[in-house]
PDB file of all heavy atoms in Angstrom:
ATOM      1  N   LEU A   1    -105.625 -41.172 213.346  1.00  0.00           N
ATOM      2  CA  LEU A   1    -106.158 -40.911 214.681  1.00  0.00           C
ATOM      3  C   LEU A   1    -105.176 -40.081 215.521  1.00  0.00           C
ATOM      4  O   LEU A   1    -105.594 -39.101 216.185  1.00  0.00           O
ATOM      5  CB  LEU A   1    -106.430 -42.213 215.392  1.00  0.00           C
ATOM      6  CG  LEU A   1    -107.636 -43.077 214.951  1.00  0.00           C
ATOM      7  CD1 LEU A   1    -107.743 -44.349 215.775  1.00  0.00           C
ATOM      8  CD2 LEU A   1    -108.925 -42.245 215.049  1.00  0.00           C
ATOM      9  N   LEU A   2    -103.929 -40.419 215.478  1.00  0.00           N
ATOM     10  CA  LEU A   2    -102.935 -39.746 216.264  1.00  0.00           C
ATOM     11  C   LEU A   2    -102.779 -38.294 215.851  1.00  0.00           C
ATOM     12  O   LEU A   2    -102.684 -37.362 216.714  1.00  0.00           O
ATOM     13  CB  LEU A   2    -101.575 -40.458 216.198  1.00  0.00           C
ATOM     14  CG  LEU A   2    -101.439 -41.743 216.981  1.00  0.00           C
ATOM     15  CD1 LEU A   2    -100.265 -42.571 216.533  1.00  0.00           C
ATOM     16  CD2 LEU A   2    -101.337 -41.439 218.478  1.00  0.00           C
ATOM     17  N   TRP A   3    -102.731 -38.033 214.516  1.00  0.00           N
ATOM     18  CA  TRP A   3    -102.541 -36.622 214.076  1.00  0.00           C
ATOM     19  C   TRP A   3    -103.822 -35.838 214.324  1.00  0.00           C
ATOM     20  O   TRP A   3    -103.706 -34.581 214.622  1.00  0.00           O
ATOM     21  CB  TRP A   3    -102.118 -36.592 212.613  1.00  0.00           C
ATOM     22  CG  TRP A   3    -100.668 -36.526 212.483  1.00  0.00           C
ATOM     23  CD1 TRP A   3     -99.817 -37.557 212.088  1.00  0.00           C
ATOM     24  CD2 TRP A   3     -99.798 -35.428 212.823  1.00  0.00           C
ATOM     25  NE1 TRP A   3     -98.497 -37.150 212.156  1.00  0.00           N
ATOM     26  CE2 TRP A   3     -98.485 -35.852 212.604  1.00  0.00           C
ATOM     27  CE3 TRP A   3    -100.055 -34.159 213.267  1.00  0.00           C
ATOM     28  CZ2 TRP A   3     -97.397 -34.996 212.813  1.00  0.00           C
ATOM     29  CZ3 TRP A   3     -98.985 -33.291 213.487  1.00  0.00           C
ATOM     30  CH2 TRP A   3     -97.669 -33.732 213.228  1.00  0.00           C
ATOM     31  N   LYS A   4    -104.942 -36.407 214.228  1.00  0.00           N
ATOM     32  CA  LYS A   4    -106.197 -35.682 214.575  1.00  0.00           C
ATOM     33  C   LYS A   4    -106.190 -35.317 216.045  1.00  0.00           C
ATOM     34  O   LYS A   4    -106.628 -34.209 216.443  1.00  0.00           O
ATOM     35  CB  LYS A   4    -107.386 -36.502 214.217  1.00  0.00           C
ATOM     36  CG  LYS A   4    -107.636 -36.648 212.703  1.00  0.00           C
ATOM     37  CD  LYS A   4    -108.819 -37.597 212.430  1.00  0.00           C
ATOM     38  CE  LYS A   4    -108.964 -37.840 210.932  1.00  0.00           C
ATOM     39  NZ  LYS A   4    -109.401 -36.635 210.209  1.00  0.00           N
ATOM     40  N   GLN A   5    -105.688 -36.248 216.902  1.00  0.00           N
ATOM     41  CA  GLN A   5    -105.592 -35.913 218.338  1.00  0.00           C
ATOM     42  C   GLN A   5    -104.565 -34.843 218.579  1.00  0.00           C
ATOM     43  O   GLN A   5    -104.771 -33.971 219.420  1.00  0.00           O
ATOM     44  CB  GLN A   5    -105.204 -37.196 219.111  1.00  0.00           C
ATOM     45  CG  GLN A   5    -105.185 -36.966 220.595  1.00  0.00           C
ATOM     46  CD  GLN A   5    -104.866 -38.304 221.351  1.00  0.00           C
ATOM     47  OE1 GLN A   5    -104.663 -39.334 220.760  1.00  0.00           O
ATOM     48  NE2 GLN A   5    -104.801 -38.189 222.664  1.00  0.00           N
ATOM     49  N   HIS A   6    -103.472 -34.866 217.862  1.00  0.00           N
ATOM     50  CA  HIS A   6    -102.438 -33.834 217.971  1.00  0.00           C
ATOM     51  C   HIS A   6    -102.968 -32.467 217.648  1.00  0.00           C
ATOM     52  O   HIS A   6    -102.740 -31.487 218.400  1.00  0.00           O
ATOM     53  CB  HIS A   6    -101.273 -34.190 217.009  1.00  0.00           C
ATOM     54  CG  HIS A   6    -100.202 -33.154 216.966  1.00  0.00           C
ATOM     55  ND1 HIS A   6     -99.020 -33.253 217.718  1.00  0.00           N
ATOM     56  CD2 HIS A   6    -100.093 -31.967 216.299  1.00  0.00           C
ATOM     57  CE1 HIS A   6     -98.294 -32.177 217.490  1.00  0.00           C
ATOM     58  NE2 HIS A   6     -98.890 -31.408 216.620  1.00  0.00           N
ATOM     59  N   LEU A   7    -103.722 -32.337 216.551  1.00  0.00           N
ATOM     60  CA  LEU A   7    -104.254 -31.058 216.138  1.00  0.00           C
ATOM     61  C   LEU A   7    -105.287 -30.557 217.151  1.00  0.00           C
ATOM     62  O   LEU A   7    -105.322 -29.379 217.478  1.00  0.00           O
ATOM     63  CB  LEU A   7    -104.916 -31.153 214.739  1.00  0.00           C
ATOM     64  CG  LEU A   7    -103.939 -31.443 213.603  1.00  0.00           C
ATOM     65  CD1 LEU A   7    -104.717 -31.643 212.315  1.00  0.00           C
ATOM     66  CD2 LEU A   7    -102.938 -30.276 213.434  1.00  0.00           C
ATOM     67  N   ALA A   8    -106.099 -31.499 217.702  1.00  0.00           N
ATOM     68  CA  ALA A   8    -107.112 -31.083 218.712  1.00  0.00           C
ATOM     69  C   ALA A   8    -106.393 -30.635 220.002  1.00  0.00           C
ATOM     70  O   ALA A   8    -106.832 -29.680 220.644  1.00  0.00           O
ATOM     71  CB  ALA A   8    -107.995 -32.308 219.001  1.00  0.00           C
ATOM     72  N   TYR A   9    -105.272 -31.269 220.353  1.00  0.00           N
ATOM     73  CA  TYR A   9    -104.528 -30.940 221.528  1.00  0.00           C
ATOM     74  C   TYR A   9    -104.020 -29.492 221.414  1.00  0.00           C
ATOM     75  O   TYR A   9    -104.148 -28.670 222.374  1.00  0.00           O
ATOM     76  CB  TYR A   9    -103.356 -31.894 221.683  1.00  0.00           C
ATOM     77  CG  TYR A   9    -102.328 -31.514 222.716  1.00  0.00           C
ATOM     78  CD1 TYR A   9    -102.519 -31.808 224.084  1.00  0.00           C
ATOM     79  CD2 TYR A   9    -101.149 -30.893 222.361  1.00  0.00           C
ATOM     80  CE1 TYR A   9    -101.577 -31.478 225.044  1.00  0.00           C
ATOM     81  CE2 TYR A   9    -100.117 -30.570 223.295  1.00  0.00           C
ATOM     82  CZ  TYR A   9    -100.422 -30.831 224.623  1.00  0.00           C
ATOM     83  OH  TYR A   9     -99.457 -30.513 225.596  1.00  0.00           O
ATOM     84  N   TYR A  10    -103.375 -29.178 220.285  1.00  0.00           N
ATOM     85  CA  TYR A  10    -102.812 -27.827 220.153  1.00  0.00           C
ATOM     86  C   TYR A  10    -103.894 -26.772 219.852  1.00  0.00           C
ATOM     87  O   TYR A  10    -103.706 -25.592 220.204  1.00  0.00           O
ATOM     88  CB  TYR A  10    -101.759 -27.807 219.061  1.00  0.00           C
ATOM     89  CG  TYR A  10    -100.391 -28.082 219.610  1.00  0.00           C
ATOM     90  CD1 TYR A  10     -99.724 -29.284 219.378  1.00  0.00           C
ATOM     91  CD2 TYR A  10     -99.749 -27.149 220.409  1.00  0.00           C
ATOM     92  CE1 TYR A  10     -98.474 -29.550 219.958  1.00  0.00           C
ATOM     93  CE2 TYR A  10     -98.490 -27.383 220.968  1.00  0.00           C
ATOM     94  CZ  TYR A  10     -97.898 -28.584 220.743  1.00  0.00           C
ATOM     95  OH  TYR A  10     -96.631 -28.835 221.320  1.00  0.00           O
ATOM     96  N   GLU A  11    -105.002 -27.152 219.282  1.00  0.00           N
ATOM     97  CA  GLU A  11    -106.077 -26.205 219.125  1.00  0.00           C
ATOM     98  C   GLU A  11    -106.567 -25.745 220.482  1.00  0.00           C
ATOM     99  O   GLU A  11    -106.903 -24.543 220.667  1.00  0.00           O
ATOM    100  CB  GLU A  11    -107.232 -26.810 218.344  1.00  0.00           C
ATOM    101  CG  GLU A  11    -108.373 -25.851 218.129  1.00  0.00           C
ATOM    102  CD  GLU A  11    -109.518 -26.438 217.283  1.00  0.00           C
ATOM    103  OE1 GLU A  11    -109.268 -27.437 216.612  1.00  0.00           O
ATOM    104  OE2 GLU A  11    -110.627 -25.853 217.311  1.00  0.00           O
ATOM    105  N   ALA A  12    -106.630 -26.686 221.435  1.00  0.00           N
ATOM    106  CA  ALA A  12    -107.043 -26.333 222.783  1.00  0.00           C
ATOM    107  C   ALA A  12    -105.947 -25.580 223.535  1.00  0.00           C
ATOM    108  O   ALA A  12    -106.254 -24.688 224.384  1.00  0.00           O
ATOM    109  CB  ALA A  12    -107.421 -27.591 223.570  1.00  0.00           C
ATOM    110  N   LYS A  13    -104.710 -25.873 223.213  1.00  0.00           N
ATOM    111  CA  LYS A  13    -103.584 -25.258 223.974  1.00  0.00           C
ATOM    112  C   LYS A  13    -103.237 -23.853 223.490  1.00  0.00           C
ATOM    113  O   LYS A  13    -102.881 -23.009 224.284  1.00  0.00           O
ATOM    114  CB  LYS A  13    -102.342 -26.173 223.852  1.00  0.00           C
ATOM    115  CG  LYS A  13    -101.143 -25.744 224.666  1.00  0.00           C
ATOM    116  CD  LYS A  13    -100.018 -26.748 224.623  1.00  0.00           C
ATOM    117  CE  LYS A  13     -98.858 -26.324 225.531  1.00  0.00           C
ATOM    118  NZ  LYS A  13     -97.782 -27.345 225.559  1.00  0.00           N
ATOM    119  N   LEU A  14    -103.368 -23.619 222.165  1.00  0.00           N
ATOM    120  CA  LEU A  14    -102.980 -22.321 221.621  1.00  0.00           C
ATOM    121  C   LEU A  14    -104.224 -21.409 221.583  1.00  0.00           C
ATOM    122  O   LEU A  14    -105.320 -21.857 221.439  1.00  0.00           O
ATOM    123  CB  LEU A  14    -102.455 -22.515 220.209  1.00  0.00           C
ATOM    124  CG  LEU A  14    -101.180 -23.371 220.100  1.00  0.00           C
ATOM    125  CD1 LEU A  14    -100.815 -23.538 218.617  1.00  0.00           C
ATOM    126  CD2 LEU A  14    -100.057 -22.794 220.847  1.00  0.00           C
ATOM    127  N   ASN A  15    -103.941 -20.128 221.639  1.00  0.00           N
ATOM    128  CA  ASN A  15    -105.017 -19.122 221.560  1.00  0.00           C
ATOM    129  C   ASN A  15    -105.267 -18.778 220.087  1.00  0.00           C
ATOM    130  O   ASN A  15    -104.729 -17.766 219.562  1.00  0.00           O
ATOM    131  CB  ASN A  15    -104.623 -17.860 222.362  1.00  0.00           C
ATOM    132  CG  ASN A  15    -105.733 -16.844 222.408  1.00  0.00           C
ATOM    133  OD1 ASN A  15    -106.899 -17.209 222.301  1.00  0.00           O
ATOM    134  ND2 ASN A  15    -105.383 -15.595 222.564  1.00  0.00           N
ATOM    135  N   LEU A  16    -106.062 -19.597 219.426  1.00  0.00           N
ATOM    136  CA  LEU A  16    -106.291 -19.446 218.005  1.00  0.00           C
ATOM    137  C   LEU A  16    -107.561 -18.726 217.696  1.00  0.00           C
ATOM    138  O   LEU A  16    -108.550 -18.822 218.460  1.00  0.00           O
ATOM    139  CB  LEU A  16    -106.303 -20.862 217.347  1.00  0.00           C
ATOM    140  CG  LEU A  16    -105.058 -21.726 217.523  1.00  0.00           C
ATOM    141  CD1 LEU A  16    -105.270 -23.084 216.837  1.00  0.00           C
ATOM    142  CD2 LEU A  16    -103.799 -21.048 217.062  1.00  0.00           C
ATOM    143  N   ASN A  17    -107.588 -18.059 216.563  1.00  0.00           N
ATOM    144  CA  ASN A  17    -108.817 -17.387 216.192  1.00  0.00           C
ATOM    145  C   ASN A  17    -109.668 -18.314 215.314  1.00  0.00           C
ATOM    146  O   ASN A  17    -109.252 -19.451 215.009  1.00  0.00           O
ATOM    147  CB  ASN A  17    -108.505 -16.079 215.407  1.00  0.00           C
ATOM    148  CG  ASN A  17    -107.646 -16.333 214.132  1.00  0.00           C
ATOM    149  OD1 ASN A  17    -107.839 -17.281 213.432  1.00  0.00           O
ATOM    150  ND2 ASN A  17    -106.699 -15.457 213.903  1.00  0.00           N
ATOM    151  N   ASP A  18    -110.849 -17.845 214.930  1.00  0.00           N
ATOM    152  CA  ASP A  18    -111.763 -18.714 214.184  1.00  0.00           C
ATOM    153  C   ASP A  18    -111.216 -19.149 212.862  1.00  0.00           C
ATOM    154  O   ASP A  18    -111.426 -20.306 212.427  1.00  0.00           O
ATOM    155  CB  ASP A  18    -113.091 -17.967 213.953  1.00  0.00           C
ATOM    156  CG  ASP A  18    -113.886 -17.765 215.265  1.00  0.00           C
ATOM    157  OD1 ASP A  18    -113.586 -18.498 216.260  1.00  0.00           O
ATOM    158  OD2 ASP A  18    -114.771 -16.922 215.310  1.00  0.00           O
ATOM    159  N   GLN A  19    -110.490 -18.285 212.152  1.00  0.00           N
ATOM    160  CA  GLN A  19    -109.889 -18.653 210.846  1.00  0.00           C
ATOM    161  C   GLN A  19    -108.860 -19.752 211.046  1.00  0.00           C
ATOM    162  O   GLN A  19    -108.762 -20.672 210.211  1.00  0.00           O
ATOM    163  CB  GLN A  19    -109.295 -17.386 210.222  1.00  0.00           C
ATOM    164  CG  GLN A  19    -108.843 -17.634 208.767  1.00  0.00           C
ATOM    165  CD  GLN A  19    -108.264 -16.380 208.115  1.00  0.00           C
ATOM    166  OE1 GLN A  19    -108.024 -15.360 208.795  1.00  0.00           O
ATOM    167  NE2 GLN A  19    -108.095 -16.395 206.798  1.00  0.00           N
ATOM    168  N   GLN A  20    -108.026 -19.648 212.052  1.00  0.00           N
ATOM    169  CA  GLN A  20    -107.041 -20.674 212.311  1.00  0.00           C
ATOM    170  C   GLN A  20    -107.699 -21.994 212.674  1.00  0.00           C
ATOM    171  O   GLN A  20    -107.261 -23.099 212.178  1.00  0.00           O
ATOM    172  CB  GLN A  20    -106.096 -20.218 213.427  1.00  0.00           C
ATOM    173  CG  GLN A  20    -105.203 -19.057 213.053  1.00  0.00           C
ATOM    174  CD  GLN A  20    -104.462 -18.490 214.249  1.00  0.00           C
ATOM    175  OE1 GLN A  20    -105.042 -18.353 215.302  1.00  0.00           O
ATOM    176  NE2 GLN A  20    -103.190 -18.179 214.053  1.00  0.00           N
ATOM    177  N   LYS A  21    -108.714 -21.967 213.462  1.00  0.00           N
ATOM    178  CA  LYS A  21    -109.482 -23.196 213.837  1.00  0.00           C
ATOM    179  C   LYS A  21    -110.094 -23.862 212.621  1.00  0.00           C
ATOM    180  O   LYS A  21    -110.079 -25.078 212.505  1.00  0.00           O
ATOM    181  CB  LYS A  21    -110.484 -22.869 214.907  1.00  0.00           C
ATOM    182  CG  LYS A  21    -109.934 -22.474 216.260  1.00  0.00           C
ATOM    183  CD  LYS A  21    -110.988 -22.156 217.250  1.00  0.00           C
ATOM    184  CE  LYS A  21    -110.413 -21.712 218.610  1.00  0.00           C
ATOM    185  NZ  LYS A  21    -111.448 -21.353 219.553  1.00  0.00           N
ATOM    186  N   GLU A  22    -110.671 -23.058 211.751  1.00  0.00           N
ATOM    187  CA  GLU A  22    -111.280 -23.588 210.546  1.00  0.00           C
ATOM    188  C   GLU A  22    -110.232 -24.266 209.641  1.00  0.00           C
ATOM    189  O   GLU A  22    -110.469 -25.324 209.044  1.00  0.00           O
ATOM    190  CB  GLU A  22    -111.971 -22.474 209.771  1.00  0.00           C
ATOM    191  CG  GLU A  22    -112.638 -22.926 208.485  1.00  0.00           C
ATOM    192  CD  GLU A  22    -113.702 -23.992 208.672  1.00  0.00           C
ATOM    193  OE1 GLU A  22    -114.392 -24.011 209.790  1.00  0.00           O
ATOM    194  OE2 GLU A  22    -113.871 -24.822 207.762  1.00  0.00           O
ATOM    195  N   PHE A  23    -109.026 -23.654 209.593  1.00  0.00           N
ATOM    196  CA  PHE A  23    -107.933 -24.253 208.837  1.00  0.00           C
ATOM    197  C   PHE A  23    -107.544 -25.600 209.384  1.00  0.00           C
ATOM    198  O   PHE A  23    -107.313 -26.563 208.647  1.00  0.00           O
ATOM    199  CB  PHE A  23    -106.740 -23.292 208.818  1.00  0.00           C
ATOM    200  CG  PHE A  23    -105.554 -23.818 208.030  1.00  0.00           C
ATOM    201  CD1 PHE A  23    -105.503 -23.563 206.663  1.00  0.00           C
ATOM    202  CD2 PHE A  23    -104.522 -24.515 208.637  1.00  0.00           C
ATOM    203  CE1 PHE A  23    -104.394 -24.042 205.909  1.00  0.00           C
ATOM    204  CE2 PHE A  23    -103.475 -24.966 207.894  1.00  0.00           C
ATOM    205  CZ  PHE A  23    -103.394 -24.739 206.532  1.00  0.00           C
ATOM    206  N   LEU A  24    -107.503 -25.708 210.703  1.00  0.00           N
ATOM    207  CA  LEU A  24    -107.082 -26.967 211.331  1.00  0.00           C
ATOM    208  C   LEU A  24    -108.158 -28.054 211.052  1.00  0.00           C
ATOM    209  O   LEU A  24    -107.831 -29.224 210.929  1.00  0.00           O
ATOM    210  CB  LEU A  24    -106.949 -26.812 212.842  1.00  0.00           C
ATOM    211  CG  LEU A  24    -105.767 -25.961 213.294  1.00  0.00           C
ATOM    212  CD1 LEU A  24    -105.607 -26.042 214.801  1.00  0.00           C
ATOM    213  CD2 LEU A  24    -104.445 -26.396 212.628  1.00  0.00           C
ATOM    214  N   LYS A  25    -109.411 -27.697 210.950  1.00  0.00           N
ATOM    215  CA  LYS A  25    -110.466 -28.642 210.565  1.00  0.00           C
ATOM    216  C   LYS A  25    -110.205 -29.207 209.161  1.00  0.00           C
ATOM    217  O   LYS A  25    -110.355 -30.404 208.931  1.00  0.00           O
ATOM    218  CB  LYS A  25    -111.831 -27.996 210.632  1.00  0.00           C
ATOM    219  CG  LYS A  25    -112.319 -27.694 212.057  1.00  0.00           C
ATOM    220  CD  LYS A  25    -113.704 -27.045 211.997  1.00  0.00           C
ATOM    221  CE  LYS A  25    -114.213 -26.750 213.417  1.00  0.00           C
ATOM    222  NZ  LYS A  25    -115.497 -26.081 213.415  1.00  0.00           N
ATOM    223  N   ARG A  26    -109.806 -28.366 208.276  1.00  0.00           N
ATOM    224  CA  ARG A  26    -109.486 -28.777 206.899  1.00  0.00           C
ATOM    225  C   ARG A  26    -108.244 -29.671 206.856  1.00  0.00           C
ATOM    226  O   ARG A  26    -108.206 -30.673 206.147  1.00  0.00           O
ATOM    227  CB  ARG A  26    -109.278 -27.574 206.043  1.00  0.00           C
ATOM    228  CG  ARG A  26    -110.561 -26.733 205.836  1.00  0.00           C
ATOM    229  CD  ARG A  26    -110.226 -25.404 205.073  1.00  0.00           C
ATOM    230  NE  ARG A  26    -109.666 -25.669 203.775  1.00  0.00           N
ATOM    231  CZ  ARG A  26    -109.041 -24.801 203.000  1.00  0.00           C
ATOM    232  NH1 ARG A  26    -108.789 -23.641 203.489  1.00  0.00           N
ATOM    233  NH2 ARG A  26    -108.620 -25.133 201.834  1.00  0.00           N
ATOM    234  N   VAL A  27    -107.269 -29.356 207.687  1.00  0.00           N
ATOM    235  CA  VAL A  27    -106.047 -30.182 207.769  1.00  0.00           C
ATOM    236  C   VAL A  27    -106.436 -31.585 208.326  1.00  0.00           C
ATOM    237  O   VAL A  27    -106.014 -32.632 207.828  1.00  0.00           O
ATOM    238  CB  VAL A  27    -104.969 -29.555 208.635  1.00  0.00           C
ATOM    239  CG1 VAL A  27    -103.806 -30.529 208.825  1.00  0.00           C
ATOM    240  CG2 VAL A  27    -104.477 -28.257 208.008  1.00  0.00           C
ATOM    241  N   SER A  28    -107.227 -31.572 209.388  1.00  0.00           N
ATOM    242  CA  SER A  28    -107.681 -32.819 209.980  1.00  0.00           C
ATOM    243  C   SER A  28    -108.424 -33.710 208.996  1.00  0.00           C
ATOM    244  O   SER A  28    -108.250 -34.927 208.964  1.00  0.00           O
ATOM    245  CB  SER A  28    -108.543 -32.521 211.225  1.00  0.00           C
ATOM    246  OG  SER A  28    -108.914 -33.709 211.901  1.00  0.00           O
TER     247      SER A  28
END
């Protein structure tokens, strides 16, 4: 739960493109 929240926090904070966001979904 904590790491999924961490990734969501930085996804919102960083200016990421669609490919990066898709990668974070796979990591989550």
Side-chain angles (χ1 to χ4, degrees):
L1 288 179
L2 284 164
W3 267 106
K4 289 176 186 292
Q5 184 178 359
H6 176 97
L7 294 175
Y9 169 83
Y10 269 109
E11 181 177 343
K13 186 173 183 177
L14 300 176
N15 185 25
L16 303 180
N17 59 40
D18 290 342
Q19 189 177 12
Q20 291 171 318
K21 291 178 180 178
E22 180 60 30
F23 182 85
L24 292 188
K25 289 180 181 178
R26 295 173 61 197
V27 174
S28 185

